[in-house]
Amino acid sequence: MSESASAARAARGRGGPSLPTRGRDPELAILTRAIDTVIHGQGGWLVVSGQPGAGKTRLLEDAKERAQAAGARFFYGSGDSEGHLTPFAPLLSGMEAAGVELLAEDELAGLESNPENRFWVLQELQDGLDRVSLAGPMVIAIDDLQWCDDATLLALKTLPLRLSASPILWIVAVRQSAMKASRITSVFERYGDIGESQLILGSLSDAAVASMVEDVVGATPDARMLRSVLQSEGLPLYVLELLGGLVDEGLISSENGVAHLIGSAVPQRFRESVKSRVSALSPQCRQILEVASVIGRTFQLEVLADMLDVSVGDLIDPVREAVDAGLLLEVGDLRFSHDLFREIIEESVPSTAHRILRRKVIDVQLARGGNVVEVATMLADSAQPGDVDAVMVLRSAARQLSSLTPSTAADLAVRALELSPGHDPERAEIVSEAATYLWQAGQAIQARRLIDKELSGAASGEEEALLRLGVTRMSSQFSFAEAVRQATIALALPNISDSTRQNLEAQLALNTLMTADVQRPVDITTASPDNLAVLATFTIARASRQFYGGKWEPAFASAHEALIIADHAQIRYRTFHNEAIFLSFMYVSAGDIANALREADRGIQETTRLRQGGGLRLWIMARSRVLLDAGRLADAAVEAHALLEMVDELGPGNFADITAIYTLVRVALYEGDEDAIRSYRADSQRMFGDEAARIRNLGSWLLSLIAHWHGEWNTAIELALPVLERLGLPGPYFSGSTDAADDVIFVRLALRTGHRQGAEAMVAFAEARAAENRPFPILRATAMHARALLTDDRSLLSKAVVLLESIDRPVVLGSALEDLGRITAESDPASAIEHFKNASKLYADAGAFNEERRINRRLADLGAPPEVESAAGTGAAGTGAWSTLSAAQRSVASLIVQGLTNRQVAEKLNLSPHTVNAHLRFAFTKLGVHSRVELAGLYHQLQSANPDL
């Protein structure tokens, strides 16, 4: 063998890592800059895309060399076309291969028992990476993204943003043809325009190809040889393979440093070259490659032996031959050196033989105790209808995947349903499983169609009712109207047990509160005292009706009674979430911020301790709403943003999500954030079109407030006036928490637009409600404030201010002081100035900068400029920027610079890690920093100048 032939064969056998990378100088420059950035403490990410054979994996090898040379740790994982169901496999295996264990061995065990495990596993991964990154910069490379499991895709969608303050550079490589696939685009949708962060590897230039020829054969190609090699389409892998074919067939000679072709028998392109190389192997080697190609990209020698019914010893020589030929690599298990090699070899296997081999792979894997998840894809493709064993395996795999990748679980369950015999006694149960996974994946329409098709008339009334009960509970997270429909259909079914009927009635009672079906009574006597969970639900439903009906005292009594029942049944923080959280909303509606915040904090702590992801989301929702009313606007927005981000792990949240949007709209209006207002207008419009009356009413009110902010008075009043038709109904008339202070906003708007009768109707309603609920000062203050606006009664408005001073609603108090200043400005300018200044201070402390600016303009008109400059808009790094942080953001930042992980900060401050992440991002934006390193530098600089910081 010639020296050039030896070099080419060695390059192919090792994948060519010893050869220099040619024609990728711009991409390598971007890669080097990104690594330099992470070395200096700032995280980042890159996407490497291109055709198969374009050199994506090679660029990751270059990243490894540069990262390690610069002092960063490098971690490599790869998707597998045959193993893309195993949750987090590429990320975890890449870390484990480098000696880092992110999760304990039992972390992924028992996934079937906890449908929220995806949420908590991601929390563990985030905390583990956060902790590891404290030891120094890291580069995490994930190859073949198109073959990664859904859980890994979710991690890559969420973790880079949540760990953006940590020194972690994420690099993912993906086939260009997969970049438009929805499961791939979803990874990058949060990152905006990926622009310079995407390295697209195209064909190499002629000069780069010539350099590769010289690297492989040790001589410069002449014109004829270069033309032949350019048939490789300029893709590095094709160039190497074509050169290997030329060398193997003795078609290259070198003379005086110039390489020439001998003869005209040039191998045609890559596919023909691979087939030619395979055909030159021994029959035994060709056989093992064909069988191995059916098993997958990576395979165990023992499995291959079982497939061929031979001993492992019989495979040693043919396997060594395949390795020497550069087609297989020994990396723990055996692996094809490139996916294209496997794909081309697999194409040569006849379809009938391929189907038989695929099924035998499954049998061998299962017989060896293999994970059913790892063979589920092959089984779904190869199984025939009526294959009971296949149905069992697919259902088992779906159950294991349901918590981490419900969409994949749904696909497997639907496939199991297709394969199950029509007379299968477990068919109804399979339908239930498939529908459940579809709902969890947010595919509500598909779930409903499946149920309607499979269960109508096919199952007993009790079985169908139980299925629809489960769907009712889940659908309340997506659509209250759908929950009502499902419960109503189920209750009409024959032969339903008393227990099932009571559960359905309880769910219907709760969900009709959101759809405003006020005609359906809540009869608590129908609840069995033996079923405490149902009894608690009925009781909180009664409390809701009482509260929305204006009977606040009995409502509080019913709510406390419901929680006593829930505590007795030990379900308060386990399953009793929507109901339990209502007490916190009642407290905040009554202006009792301290008790509302106490309930929310306790809920967050308990659901975190019990690992109840859905419950945690609801309690974060409650806390964001409490912080809004408490006048802690920045913190409220942070909690709301954290809440919306949880949709990645937990799916849509409906009630939680609309409350978050409500909070963010109100904060944006108070702050005067035009971009945010414009963005949330679309969300409000979507709510305005919802089937559920409560959400529809909320959307209408938010759109009215937005129009009001823009000075679109006629639009604002048109959206607000329908509220008058709902005032006497026992249901919500304004927002999700019935904020009594909004009555004043309505009266102010109605008077401004000449709708005095509407204003009078609202004032009368507010006064009647206050009279019926005298123990609640916020209602009396609201009624006084509204009447004072209607009659310009300075004395009455002064009394309202006194009442509001005893209630922890600073923005509402500021609004009353502003109105009082306006009413007294002409007759008593000095008093008006004092009222305006007090209002300005309240607004400034709350972060309501838009309101503060309006007050300051009034003060300027009266010749009394504000005494302090607003912190709004300050963005330069320094003490001024630090002062713009909320108290919570300052606490988070101060702990982060001490070297604590986000989870450790969350535990110290009794927050969720999501909230800490959001606080940190907001703080970075305000301070103009991009990493923990920069934050620490700024913090110590400010602290040296101001020790009391």
Side-chain angles (χ1 to χ4, degrees):
M1 183 181 292
S2 69
E3 184 178 343
S4 60
S6 298
R9 183 175 295 280
R12 293 199 312 279
R14 295 193 305 269
S18 61
L19 301 178
T21 300
R22 298 296 186 182
R24 304 300 188 200
D25 290 347
E27 292 82 1
L28 289 172
I30 293 173
L31 184 64
T32 300
R33 287 197 298 271
I35 292 173
D36 184 62
T37 298
V38 79
I39 290 296
H40 287 86
Q42 184 176 333
W45 62 281
L46 292 173
V47 179
V48 181
S49 64
Q51 299 179 53
K56 299 184 293 297
T57 301
R58 177 54 200 264
L59 201 68
L60 297 185
E61 293 170 355
D62 289 320
K64 178 179 181 179
E65 294 174 7
R66 284 162 168 73
Q68 292 179 337
R73 290 163 297 168
F74 185 87
F75 306 89
Y76 172 87
S78 176
D80 187 336
S81 59
E82 297 297 336
H84 66 273
L85 297 185
T86 307
F88 303 111
L91 181 59
L92 294 179
S93 62
M95 302 298 291
E96 290 169 2
V100 174
E101 185 177 294
L102 291 179
L103 298 174
E105 291 184 3
D106 60 347
E107 284 289 347
L108 293 176
L111 297 184
E112 297 176 41
S113 63
N114 185 359
E116 295 178 340
N117 226 50
R118 173 174 58 173
F119 175 82
W120 298 108
V121 169
L122 273 175
Q123 293 287 304
E124 294 295 333
L125 286 174
Q126 178 181 330
D127 183 59
L129 289 170
D130 194 8
R131 186 174 60 253
V132 173
S133 71
L134 292 178
M138 306 163 56
V139 176
I140 300 176
I142 302 296
D143 205 353
D144 287 320
L145 185 70
Q146 72 277 357
W147 290 329
C148 286
D149 61 281
D150 287 351
T152 297
L153 295 182
L154 177 60
L156 294 172
K157 177 181 180 179
T158 57
L159 296 183
L161 279 179
R162 294 178 185 172
L163 293 166
S164 59
S166 302
I168 303 176
L169 172 63
W170 302 78
I171 309 177
V172 297
V174 58
R175 288 186 177 182
Q176 188 66 36
S177 59
M179 281 296 290
K180 293 184 178 180
S182 58
R183 66 192 301 268
I184 301 300
T185 58
S186 68
V187 175
F188 307 121
E189 61 186 9
R190 285 250 185 112
Y191 298 82
D193 183 6
I194 59 178
E196 293 184 359
S197 297
Q198 184 179 11
L199 309 183
I200 302 176
L201 305 185
S203 298
L204 296 176
S205 66
D206 292 358
V209 172
S211 296
M212 287 190 68
V213 174
E214 188 168 358
D215 292 335
V216 172
V217 303
T220 303
D222 65 6
R224 179 168 174 261
M225 180 178 179
L226 182 59
R227 282 197 304 272
S228 298
V229 177
L230 288 175
Q231 293 182 78
S232 62
E233 301 177 8
L235 297 176
L237 182 67
Y238 289 22
V239 171
L240 284 176
E241 189 56 33
L242 186 54
L243 287 171
L246 293 170
V247 170
D248 288 345
E249 297 184 21
L251 299 176
I252 300 177
S253 68
S254 299
E255 186 177 350
N256 299 323
V258 178
H260 310 277
L261 284 178
I262 301 174
S264 58
V266 180
Q268 295 300 305
R269 306 177 71 121
F270 181 69
R271 189 174 299 276
E272 288 74 13
S273 177
V274 173
K275 290 180 178 179
S276 175
R277 286 175 59 196
V278 173
S279 66
L281 300 172
S282 67
Q284 294 87 350
C285 186
R286 290 200 303 272
Q287 182 186 31
I288 69 148
L289 286 172
E290 289 171 349
V291 174
S293 72
V294 176
I295 298 175
R297 180 185 182 186
T298 302
F299 57 92
Q300 294 176 320
L301 190 59
E302 295 89 341
V303 171
L304 183 61
D306 288 349
M307 288 288 295
L308 295 167
D309 296 320
V310 299
S311 69
V312 171
D314 292 333
L315 298 178
I316 293 176
D317 288 339
V319 166
R320 182 181 294 122
E321 184 181 357
V323 172
D324 290 342
L327 295 170
L328 294 181
L329 296 174
E330 292 183 279
V331 283
D333 292 332
L334 289 166
R335 188 182 78 187
F336 281 91
S337 54
H338 198 281
D339 301 305
L340 287 175
F341 295 165
R342 185 190 72 81
E343 292 171 11
I344 292 169
I345 294 170
E346 187 179 19
E347 288 174 358
S348 68
V349 180
S351 58
T352 302
H354 189 278
R355 190 182 70 251
I356 295 172
L357 287 172
R358 292 278 282 187
R359 185 51 197 262
K360 187 169 183 179
V361 172
I362 295 166
D363 294 338
V364 169
Q365 295 277 29
L366 293 177
R368 296 182 61 82
N371 190 327
V372 294
V373 170
E374 295 176 357
V375 301
T377 299
M378 289 189 289
L379 188 57
D381 292 339
S382 62
Q384 300 296 307
D387 189 334
V388 177
D389 292 337
V391 171
M392 179 183 67
V393 172
L394 288 171
R395 290 177 67 190
S396 178
R399 281 193 292 270
Q400 292 186 45
L401 291 168
S402 62
S403 63
L404 296 176
T405 56
S407 60
T408 304
D411 291 341
L412 295 178
V414 169
R415 181 59 177 152
L417 185 62
E418 293 170 352
L419 296 174
S420 66
H423 60 276
D424 190 341
E426 296 185 354
R427 187 173 178 83
E429 186 177 342
I430 301 173
V431 172
S432 175
E433 291 171 358
T436 298
Y437 304 149
L438 286 167
W439 275 100
Q440 290 175 341
Q443 301 176 46
I445 295 175
Q446 293 89 327
R448 187 164 65 247
R449 286 175 180 169
L450 181 65
I451 295 167
D452 292 342
K453 176 184 176 182
E454 296 289 338
L455 287 188
S456 295
S460 69
E462 176 69 8
E463 289 174 334
E464 184 175 347
L466 286 171
L467 169 63
R468 293 188 184 275
L469 173 61
V471 173
T472 297
R473 287 170 171 156
M474 286 184 294
S475 61
S476 64
Q477 294 297 312
F478 305 89
S479 167
F480 298 115
E482 178 63 25
V484 170
R485 273 194 293 269
Q486 291 291 337
T488 302
I489 293 171
L491 284 167
L493 294 169
N495 304 318
I496 303 176
S497 68
D498 290 341
S499 174
T500 300
R501 184 172 296 280
Q502 288 176 19
N503 276 291
L504 286 165
E505 289 281 5
Q507 290 299 317
L508 190 62
L510 283 175
N511 284 285
T512 51
L513 286 170
M514 306 302 292
T515 59
D517 182 6
V518 297
Q519 303 304 316
R520 174 177 285 273
V522 178
D523 183 7
I524 195 169
T525 61
T526 63
S528 169
D530 297 328
N531 192 332
L532 295 179
V534 172
L535 184 61
T537 299
F538 266 109
T539 307
I540 201 68
R542 181 182 64 188
S544 301
R545 293 297 178 94
Q546 291 168 333
F547 187 78
Y548 289 132
K551 303 180 185 303
W552 283 22
E553 277 191 282
F556 270 95
S558 294
H560 284 292
E561 180 185 347
L563 294 187
I564 291 171
I565 296 171
D567 286 340
H568 187 66
Q570 298 182 336
I571 60 173
R572 182 170 185 176
Y573 296 109
R574 295 182 183 275
T575 60
F576 201 70
H577 298 306
N578 282 318
E579 301 90 332
I581 220 158
F582 187 67
L583 180 61
S584 180
F585 276 117
M586 290 173 65
Y587 277 132
V588 78
S589 298
D592 188 349
I593 299 298
N595 274 324
L597 197 57
R598 184 200 66 224
E599 289 291 333
D601 286 346
R602 183 188 301 167
I604 288 173
Q605 292 167 23
E606 287 299 308
T607 48
T608 299
R609 181 179 65 84
L610 295 169
R611 295 172 73 91
Q612 293 287 323
L616 175 62
R617 170 164 56 187
L618 289 169
W619 284 111
I620 293 177
M621 168 197 74
R623 197 170 194 275
S624 73
R625 189 65 181 80
V626 174
L627 293 173
L628 172 68
D629 283 359
R632 294 169 55 181
L633 302 183
D635 293 340
V638 165
E639 297 276 8
H641 278 293
L643 176 65
L644 292 178
E645 289 179 2
M646 295 172 77
V647 70
D648 290 323
E649 298 102 318
L650 298 172
N654 203 11
F655 185 34
D657 294 345
I658 63 172
T659 304
I661 295 298
Y662 172 85
T663 298
L664 291 170
V665 170
R666 298 304 292 261
V667 171
L669 292 170
Y670 284 137
E671 292 181 342
D673 186 338
E674 293 190 48
D675 291 338
I677 294 169
R678 188 181 308 110
S679 172
Y680 298 133
R681 193 168 201 161
D683 292 303
S684 303
Q685 191 68 51
R686 175 178 51 80
M687 284 189 263
F688 188 36
D690 198 276
E691 288 184 88
R694 183 170 186 174
I695 300 178
R696 189 166 60 249
N697 297 343
L698 176 59
S700 176
W701 181 238
L702 291 179
L703 288 171
S704 177
L705 292 175
I706 292 171
H708 186 290
W709 189 88
H710 282 109
E712 301 165 358
W713 310 113
N714 291 333
T715 300
I717 194 62
E718 286 174 10
L719 289 163
L721 280 176
V723 73
L724 298 176
E725 301 171 7
R726 303 192 294 270
L727 290 181
L729 299 177
Y733 65 96
F734 263 151
S735 69
S737 61
T738 317
D739 187 356
D742 283 351
D743 298 353
V744 172
I745 298 176
F746 178 92
V747 170
R748 192 183 290 125
L749 176 60
L751 291 174
R752 184 181 187 110
T753 54
H755 290 79
R756 187 172 181 84
Q757 280 190 319
E760 290 172 346
M762 181 60 76
V763 170
F765 169 78
E767 290 176 337
R769 184 183 55 189
E772 191 172 0
N773 296 279
R774 294 201 61 79
F776 301 94
I778 193 168
L779 299 182
R780 299 202 307 276
T782 296
M784 290 178 183
H785 190 172
R787 172 64 67 179
L789 289 179
L790 188 66
T791 60
D792 274 344
D793 189 330
R794 173 180 175 179
S795 174
L796 188 60
L797 190 49
S798 295
K799 292 179 181 178
V801 166
V802 171
L803 263 180
L804 286 170
E805 287 174 341
S806 67
I807 302 170
D808 193 10
R809 293 291 302 273
V811 175
V812 174
L813 174 58
S815 175
L817 285 166
E818 183 179 357
D819 281 331
L820 185 58
R822 180 180 52 79
I823 290 176
T824 59
E826 186 174 342
S827 61
D828 188 356
S831 295
I833 289 172
E834 188 65 25
H835 296 320
F836 284 145
K837 285 185 175 180
N838 290 336
S840 178
K841 176 70 165 55
L842 288 167
Y843 288 149
D845 290 345
F849 305 126
N850 187 65
E851 321 300 297
E852 182 193 6
R853 285 190 289 267
R854 184 180 62 248
I855 288 289
N856 290 344
R857 288 194 296 270
R858 289 185 180 276
L859 285 169
D861 290 342
L862 291 172
E867 296 176 355
V868 294
E869 183 179 352
S870 171
T874 304
T879 306
W882 185 265
S883 67
T884 67
L885 302 184
S886 69
Q889 289 163 10
R890 287 195 293 271
S891 297
V892 167
S894 298
L895 291 171
I896 286 293
V897 300
Q898 295 177 31
L900 275 66
T901 66
N902 287 11
R903 170 178 284 183
Q904 291 168 331
V905 173
E907 291 171 350
K908 278 187 172 292
L909 299 180
N910 290 324
L911 299 172
S912 74
H914 279 77
T915 301
V916 171
N917 295 337
H919 274 310
L920 201 55
R921 287 200 305 274
F922 276 78
F924 275 24
T925 299
K926 291 179 179 179
L927 296 174
V929 299
H930 303 89
S931 68
R932 291 170 179 260
V933 173
E934 292 182 12
L935 176 65
L938 175 62
Y939 179 82
H940 293 307
Q941 175 186 341
L942 296 177
Q943 192 176 47
S944 63
N946 182 8
D948 296 328
L949 186 64

